[in-house]
Amino acid sequence: MKIKFRVIRCQSGLLISLLRCAMAGVLMMGTLAQAADSRPRIGLVLGGGGARGAAHIGVLEVLEKLRIPVDCVAGTSMGALVAGSYAAGLTPAVMRTELSSADWHDMFQDNPPYSDLNYRNKRLSQRFLPGSETGVGENGVQYQTGVVTGQKVKLFFNQLVRSDFGERMIEQLPIPLSIIATDIGNGERVVFRDGSLTTAMRASMSVPGLLAPVETGGRKLVDGGLVDNVPILEVRERCQADVVIAVNVGSPLLDPKDVGSLLSVSAQMVNILTEQNVSRSLATLKSTDIYIKPDLDGITAGDFDRHAETADRGRKAAEGVVEQLKRLSVSDTQYAAWWAMIATAHRPAPRVDEIQIAEMKTVNPAAVERRITQPKGEVLDPAKLNRDLLRVYGDGYYESVDYHLLDGRERNILRVLPIEKSWGPDYMRFAVNLETNQSAGSTFSLRGAYHKTWMNSLGGEMIVGAEVGTRNQVGLEFYQPLDVQQRFFVEPAISIASESVNIFQNDQKIAEYKVEETAGTLALGANIGLLGQVRLGWRETDRRASLETGTPSLPSGSKRFGGWFATMDLDQMDRLYFPTKGWATRLNYFSSDENDYSKLYAEVRGSYPIGDVVLGGRVSYLNSPKGDLPIYDAGSLGGIFNLSAFAKGQLIGDEISFGQLRAEKIIGRLPLGLRGDMRFGMTFEAGKVNRRFTETELSGWQDSTTLYLGGETPMGPVYLGYAYSSSGSSNLYLFLGVP
């Protein structure tokens, strides 16, 4: 059947012309309806399967090539993402481009790059494991409900379906859409036929244990694959489909011999539940329906980096049933008319006239506003907005940070929607440190703290912490911003600590001292945006040293010293551990007039990627501009990545120069939801200590070459390596945890 369109030009102000325009519109809609009635109604079902869901795009490419219109679509999990994008008017080509260019490994890391964290949160990351955060609130101890909250995932969905034009509502989409999720509270099947498109997509993809559930309508929703992974009956009901095209990309059950770890057991349990409901769904297929199951052997639910290959396999599977599909084809004119109704309009980006921050229970909205750089009265920049919202999220107070664009006739309102952590506002934080090396034996410590946030409207915080093990410490610190923008702050702190310090002569341990220290500081500081921080203040220290074992080589007794200090820390590395690019610098100065000495420390670090190799370097210098450093405040070399062939603190002195060159090859990545790369690395280090405090033949410049394997784990960075010096010193070491 051919459809002919006749263009009628309407002249405003003339009643007869308006009537003609109305009649033309009715006539065109009637013609399209007649065309739809002359063919079978087609329902498309896109099943869940994680990264295997990219095969759906290949199927859509074949449907497009064959000119097959779709009357409704239903999807689950990754199928919900593709179905939602298709119903919103995205072409298969656009979807292939967008999903292929997405960094899914990064997307499953909620926080922005380390360089975009405020400096206080960088310091917290240096002291505690990010994944150890445990909420302490009115309801007692609470935990995060998933490894990933899905912040980057949700923002990606927003950008994919153009929510910057305004919230995309399912009931307003050109193709009727159903998205399946599961109520984790009662196991019920939940079907989205209206409401927020991106919220429904995010809910349907909430793999239990990996992605946190989505709370909406009083329910906590997770992956719809648990109850209806291939929703055939839903799409048949949704548009009274005469023909159902069902695409199944689900993962097969694991071989029993491969089920051993806790992760594999959990995955197998999910696969069993999924396969059971898929079997029931497939049993409802009719002889007139078309079933497509791509050959995805060797591709797992986490293989997002094989997106293009997976899409190609989906296209091949659809081409395998092309004769069945051909009978659903329509003419070029019919298909063009159908696509014209659903295609995403290419509109200019909207102007933002007003920015609103949703009210929160604890956090001052000004803390969100300071991160938003979108100018009022200018066109919305979605990429910049996503970056700003990630920076808001990176402040650490929010479970999610989303936005809605309220598109009005005269004013467009950008409404930022931060949701405070349900497990906050106070937290317990933890860290472990385990180091074993050939030269100095083993050390171990467990670190914990109670972190109280937003004690007042300016964002005052308190940390009460303790460390037990080789080093024992208790401490209290308070951080009080002085303005709403948190540009300036005051930070008092007090701590009591004790630890054992080894003393070496050449490569031999000759003594062990117990050092006890009580210290207090009062600092006035300024945050330099997200670049870093400067601090000026006073530090008072009482240090006591006593010989535990060995030969007395250093003075024992007590010493009290105090003075003013100034520090500047700038950090633009993209990661705390195993960075790939960026730079950082540190400058510390301390002056004790009563003890007639000063201490200067300067350090610069940097990293730069070349393919899958990361080059890095570090230089540092310590000196006493006034007087000589006393033994109780001296510097040292030795220990992992600080002249690694030598024991920690083996070389002690007044003036220290150090340089390091590093090359690391990325040899793998940890699974989704975990952190970082696995790397094989090599470092060359050189250091020199002048005015030594212990007798040694290791004078002048000392070198160290290290070979190591390393990676970032949920317990912190791990290193296994061997270091050798031309002086004859060597070290075999294992390190795990937070330094």
Side-chain angles (χ1 to χ4, degrees):
M1 174 182 178
K2 294 184 177 181
I3 302 175
K4 297 182 179 180
F5 295 93
R6 185 160 61 99
V7 178
I8 299 177
R9 302 187 181 277
C10 302
Q11 301 177 6
S12 63
L14 300 177
L15 178 61
I16 186 66
S17 296
L18 293 175
L19 290 173
R20 286 179 178 177
C21 287
M23 290 294 294
V26 171
L27 183 61
M28 186 182 76
M29 295 300 295
T31 303
L32 291 174
Q34 183 181 359
D37 291 339
S38 67
R39 61 173 177 81
R41 297 185 62 78
I42 301 169
L44 177 64
V45 179
L46 305 180
R52 294 160 64 94
H56 295 314
I57 297 174
V59 174
L60 293 178
E61 290 172 342
V62 174
L63 298 185
E64 181 181 54
K65 182 180 179 180
L66 296 176
R67 303 183 308 279
I68 298 175
V70 173
D71 296 286
C72 64
V73 59
T76 300
S77 195
M78 190 66 177
L81 170 62
V82 178
S85 301
Y86 191 58
L90 272 69
T91 66
V94 170
M95 280 188 270
R96 180 185 277 264
T97 299
E98 292 292 332
L99 297 186
S100 293
S101 61
D103 187 344
W104 287 89
H105 286 272
D106 177 71
M107 202 178 302
F108 282 89
Q109 304 290 337
D110 287 313
N111 279 324
Y114 182 74
S115 58
D116 280 355
L117 295 178
N118 67 67
Y119 192 75
R120 179 155 180 83
N121 277 351
K122 289 176 182 174
R123 290 181 64 189
L124 286 174
S125 298
Q126 294 164 11
R127 296 167 61 186
F128 307 104
L129 294 171
S132 72
E133 182 182 275
T134 303
V136 181
E138 297 177 352
N139 299 320
V141 176
Q142 295 180 295
Y143 301 94
Q144 184 174 320
T145 52
V147 177
V148 182
T149 65
Q151 174 63 31
K152 290 182 180 178
V153 174
K154 182 59 164 64
L155 292 180
F156 172 70
F157 290 173
N158 289 348
Q159 190 167 336
L160 181 66
V161 302
R162 299 307 307 269
S163 291
D164 53 301
F165 287 147
E167 179 71 6
R168 303 301 301 270
M169 307 302 290
I170 294 175
E171 65 271 23
Q172 297 173 358
L173 298 177
I175 298 179
L177 170 69
S178 298
I179 288 177
I180 312 300
T182 304
D183 188 327
I184 195 64
N186 55 27
E188 290 182 353
R189 173 176 173 268
V190 177
V191 182
F192 287 91
R193 289 186 172 186
D194 54 27
S196 167
L197 171 61
T198 54
T199 298
M201 292 160 62
R202 168 67 180 82
S204 188
M205 287 189 64
S206 299
V207 180
L210 176 61
L211 277 169
V214 171
E215 295 192 35
T216 182
R219 295 171 177 259
K220 287 187 176 181
L221 305 180
V222 297
D223 197 324
L226 297 177
V227 291
D228 196 358
N229 201 48
V230 186
I232 295 171
L233 291 179
E234 168 60 26
V235 80
R236 203 183 300 279
E237 179 185 346
R238 186 77 163 100
C239 63
Q240 301 301 307
D242 301 304
V243 177
V244 171
I245 302 174
V247 188
N248 180 15
V249 296
S251 300
L253 295 178
L254 298 174
D255 191 281
K257 65 180 177 61
D258 297 326
V259 181
S261 67
L262 179 61
L263 187 62
S264 63
V265 171
S266 300
Q268 186 77 330
M269 291 174 62
V270 172
N271 288 342
I272 290 173
L273 292 173
T274 301
E275 283 299 305
Q276 289 176 346
N277 70 67
V278 168
S279 297
R280 291 193 295 270
S281 292
L282 296 181
T284 67
L285 288 172
K286 301 177 180 179
S287 59
T288 54
D289 298 329
I290 300 172
Y291 177 59
I292 301 173
K293 185 173 176 56
D295 179 9
L296 301 175
D297 185 43
I299 298 177
T300 71
D303 284 335
F304 287 96
D305 55 348
R306 300 173 68 180
H307 186 279
E309 177 191 352
T310 307
D312 291 342
R313 292 200 194 185
R315 182 177 62 212
K316 183 178 180 181
E319 290 171 346
V321 294
V322 69
E323 295 302 320
Q324 294 175 265
L325 292 170
K326 278 183 177 180
R327 60 186 173 87
L328 304 176
S329 298
V330 298
S331 68
D332 289 338
T333 305
Q334 285 178 286
Y335 191 78
W338 172 81
W339 184 252
M341 290 193 302
I342 70 168
T344 300
H346 295 283
R347 298 180 291 167
R351 184 189 69 253
V352 176
D353 300 298
E354 182 181 350
I355 299 174
Q356 297 178 353
I357 311 296
E359 289 292 328
M360 291 169 284
K361 180 180 178 181
T362 304
V363 180
N364 189 334
V368 176
E369 187 177 1
R370 64 179 173 157
R371 303 289 186 218
I372 305 300
T373 60
Q374 170 67 45
K376 298 177 183 178
E378 296 188 11
V379 171
L380 177 65
D381 185 337
K384 180 186 286 188
L385 177 61
N386 281 355
R387 185 191 63 197
D388 291 346
L389 296 185
L390 279 177
R391 288 173 170 175
V392 173
Y393 180 87
D395 284 341
Y397 309 124
Y398 316 100
E399 191 167 336
S400 66
V401 185
D402 205 351
Y403 71 91
H404 288 166
L405 185 69
L406 307 179
D407 190 4
R409 290 185 177 181
E410 298 182 356
R411 293 181 62 79
N412 296 323
I413 300 174
L414 176 63
R415 184 166 176 80
V416 181
L417 305 169
I419 305 297
E420 295 171 275
K421 289 179 176 176
S422 58
W423 58 94
D426 304 330
Y427 311 95
M428 296 293 295
R429 303 186 183 278
F430 304 94
V432 295
N433 178 294
L434 172 65
E435 183 174 357
T436 299
N437 60 76
Q438 183 183 14
S439 56
S442 300
T443 61
F444 173 82
S445 64
L446 175 64
R447 192 178 303 155
Y450 172 68
H451 183 196
K452 188 173 183 61
T453 70
W454 285 97
M455 300 173 63
N456 49 57
S457 62
L458 296 180
E461 298 183 3
M462 179 183 69
I463 294 179
V464 181
E467 183 174 351
V468 295
T470 307
R471 175 179 171 85
N472 299 293
Q473 182 180 11
V474 294
L476 170 67
E477 61 184 77
F478 188 70
Y479 172 80
Q480 179 57 58
L482 301 178
D483 62 323
V484 174
Q485 298 295 322
Q486 298 192 7
R487 292 167 294 187
F488 304 99
F489 62 89
V490 63
E491 188 174 37
I494 187 172
S495 66
I496 301 173
S498 69
E499 65 178 325
S500 295
V501 177
N502 296 323
I503 305 299
F504 291 82
Q505 183 174 334
N506 297 324
D507 286 334
Q508 299 297 315
K509 175 182 172 182
I510 62 173
E512 181 178 316
Y513 281 77
K514 182 179 181 182
V515 179
E516 298 174 299
E517 179 183 281
T518 302
T521 63
L522 178 62
L524 178 67
N527 292 307
I528 311 172
L530 297 174
L531 185 62
Q533 191 180 88
V534 295
R535 300 162 78 235
L536 178 67
W538 182 270
R539 183 174 75 236
E540 193 78 23
T541 304
D542 183 81
R543 187 169 294 167
R544 299 167 299 280
S546 59
L547 180 66
E548 292 282 288
T549 61
T551 305
S553 55
L554 297 176
S556 298
S558 177
K559 181 65 178 180
R560 184 171 181 175
F561 56 102
W564 65 271
F565 66 88
T567 67
M568 180 183 70
D569 289 284
L570 308 178
D571 194 341
Q572 286 295 283
M573 305 296 281
D574 65 337
R575 298 178 188 170
L576 173 57
Y577 309 111
F578 302 97
T580 55
K581 61 181 179 180
W583 60 271
T585 184
R586 172 172 293 177
L587 183 65
N588 295 339
Y589 183 80
F590 174 77
S591 179
S592 179
D593 292 335
E594 62 179 319
N595 292 279
D596 196 31
Y597 81 95
S598 63
K599 182 178 181 179
L600 173 68
Y601 178 78
E603 177 186 275
V604 178
R605 297 179 288 124
S607 292
Y608 185 80
I610 302 178
D612 60 354
V613 175
V614 179
L615 303 179
R618 170 183 156 223
V619 293
S620 64
Y621 179 72
L622 182 144
N623 197 8
S624 51
K626 180 178 68 174
D628 295 331
L629 290 181
I631 181 62
Y632 51 79
D633 202 17
S636 67
L637 286 178
I640 185 170
F641 301 132
N642 194 45
L643 218 59
S644 305
F646 299 86
K648 183 178 181 180
Q650 183 172 336
L651 307 176
I652 307 173
D654 176 77
E655 181 182 3
I656 298 177
S657 304
F658 176 81
Q660 180 195 84
L661 294 176
R662 185 184 75 252
E664 295 177 338
K665 181 176 177 59
I666 300 173
I667 58 176
R669 304 185 79 168
L670 293 176
L672 293 179
L674 302 180
R675 306 179 65 84
D677 306 315
M678 300 298 294
R679 301 186 182 185
F680 173 75
M682 179 178 180
T683 67
F684 177 77
E685 301 166 319
K688 182 180 180 182
V689 179
N690 291 331
R691 297 190 292 276
R692 298 174 181 268
F693 290 101
T694 58
E695 295 183 7
T696 180
E697 298 175 357
L698 300 172
S699 61
W701 285 94
Q702 302 296 316
D703 64 85
S704 175
T705 301
T706 307
L707 297 175
Y708 62 92
L709 288 171
E712 192 169 353
T713 76
M715 298 297 293
V718 60
Y719 300 94
L720 175 64
Y722 175 76
Y724 175 80
S725 172
S726 60
S727 68
S729 299
S730 63
N731 213 354
L732 180 66
Y733 58 84
L734 169 67
F735 179 91
L736 173 66
V738 177

